[in-house]
Amino acid sequence: GAVVSQHPSWVICKSGTSVKIECRSLDFQATTMFWYRQFPKQSLMLMATSNEGSKATYEQGVEKDKFLINHASLTLSTLTVTSAHPEDSSFYICSARTGQGLNEQFFGPGTRLTVL
Amino acid sequence: AQSVTQPDIHITVSEGASLELRCNYSYGATPYLFWYVQSPGQGLQLLLKYFSGDTLVQGIKGFEAEFKRSQSSVNLRKPSVHWSDAAEYFCAVGAGQAGTALIFGKGTTLSVSS
């Protein structure tokens, strides 16, 4: 149980285009989902927290107009990287909370974004 | 400010030898502590978590961690390492409030030599 999927697992796009990454909780309802960014050999940095049906809360330094997050349902959150540039190339990971259990999150496998 | 420090970037251990990965945290209240493992192409998998109670916590895959409040540490241990344990290990701290995100350390890469 408690499986989180991400799609796509990897994507290559041209500079200036937009890319959408999906995060789904497959067997539970996720009241809260998180989006992290991981640079090579670095830790996971929280980008934003999203609650179903409300606006995402972005961490300091994260451009909300560039990284659009939509948590439209209890099983789906999307991250759209708008007007992507090479510096946006990274590994994006989502996680989801079940709403039960103290602060336990379940992580997706990540999406590797490469912007040419 | 909350922070997590994993002082060892890379550790190599012989197969069958014991393992200890260090983690120190800075947190204003009683922390909720986690250890995750990340293998290539896979998501983070929870090894164990500490919320309260016994300071020695048992996890999956034969891992355990000892929480030492006086040292603000929660080191991960395994008595005998297997080659399949080679991966990236992350320590994380979270607040007690529901919905709060985790703060991760930079991770320790574990290599296992034969």
Side-chain angles (χ1 to χ4, degrees), chain A residues 9-43:
Chain A
S9 56
W10 60 270
V11 57
I12 300 173
C13 69
K14 294 182 179 181
S15 184
T17 61
S18 294
V19 175
K20 179 183 285 187
I21 302 170
E22 292 185 348
C23 176
R24 294 182 183 272
S25 56
L26 298 184
D27 51 5
F28 65 97
Q29 292 186 327
T31 55
T32 305
M33 288 185 170
F34 304 91
W35 286 95
Y36 295 85
R37 183 173 178 176
Q38 185 180 26
F39 293 99
K41 302 298 182 183
Q42 294 289 323
S43 181

Side-chain angles (χ1 to χ4, degrees), chain B residues 17-68:
Chain B
S18 63
L19 169 71
E20 182 169 25
L21 301 181
R22 297 183 292 167
C23 175
N24 295 92
Y25 65 90
S26 174
Y27 193 72
T30 301
Y32 292 78
L33 299 162
F34 306 82
W35 273 99
Y36 287 90
V37 60
Q38 184 182 36
S39 299
Q42 299 190 15
L44 274 75
Q45 181 181 22
L46 180 67
L47 288 175
L48 53 84
K49 57 189 176 186
Y50 173 78
F51 290 156
S52 65
D54 292 340
T55 57
L56 186 62
V57 181
Q58 300 298 320
I60 63 171
K61 301 185 177 184
F63 286 93
E64 66 178 26
E66 185 173 12
F67 170 63
K68 294 184 178 180

Side-chain angles (χ1 to χ4, degrees), chain A residues 18 20 24 29 34 42 51 54 63 67 71 77 90 108 111:
Chain A
S18 294
K20 179 183 285 187
R24 294 182 183 272
Q29 292 186 327
F34 304 91
Q42 294 289 323
N51 293 291
S54 62
E63 299 176 60
F67 299 99
H71 194 159
S77 176
S90 192
T111 296

Side-chain angles (χ1 to χ4, degrees), chain B:
Chain B
Q2 305 159 15
S3 66
V4 177
T5 302
Q6 294 180 249
D8 304 307
I9 297 174
H10 190 183
I11 286 182
T12 299
V13 175
S14 299
E15 189 169 16
S18 63
L19 169 71
E20 182 169 25
L21 301 181
R22 297 183 292 167
C23 175
N24 295 92
Y25 65 90
S26 174
Y27 193 72
T30 301
Y32 292 78
L33 299 162
F34 306 82
W35 273 99
Y36 287 90
V37 60
Q38 184 182 36
S39 299
Q42 299 190 15
L44 274 75
Q45 181 181 22
L46 180 67
L47 288 175
L48 53 84
K49 57 189 176 186
Y50 173 78
F51 290 156
S52 65
D54 292 340
T55 57
L56 186 62
V57 181
Q58 300 298 320
I60 63 171
K61 301 185 177 184
F63 286 93
E64 66 178 26
E66 185 173 12
F67 170 63
K68 294 184 178 180
R69 184 187 302 275
S70 61
Q71 300 177 18
S72 297
S73 70
V74 56
N75 294 346
L76 182 71
R77 304 194 299 229
K78 187 170 184 178
S80 178
V81 169
H82 188 262
W83 64 266
S84 60
D85 293 324
E88 188 83 14
Y89 291 81
F90 290 96
C91 177
V93 62
Q97 295 299 318
T100 303
L102 301 177
I103 299 170
F104 285 85
K106 290 190 175 183
T108 297
T109 301
L110 172 65
S111 297
V112 180
S113 61
S114 57

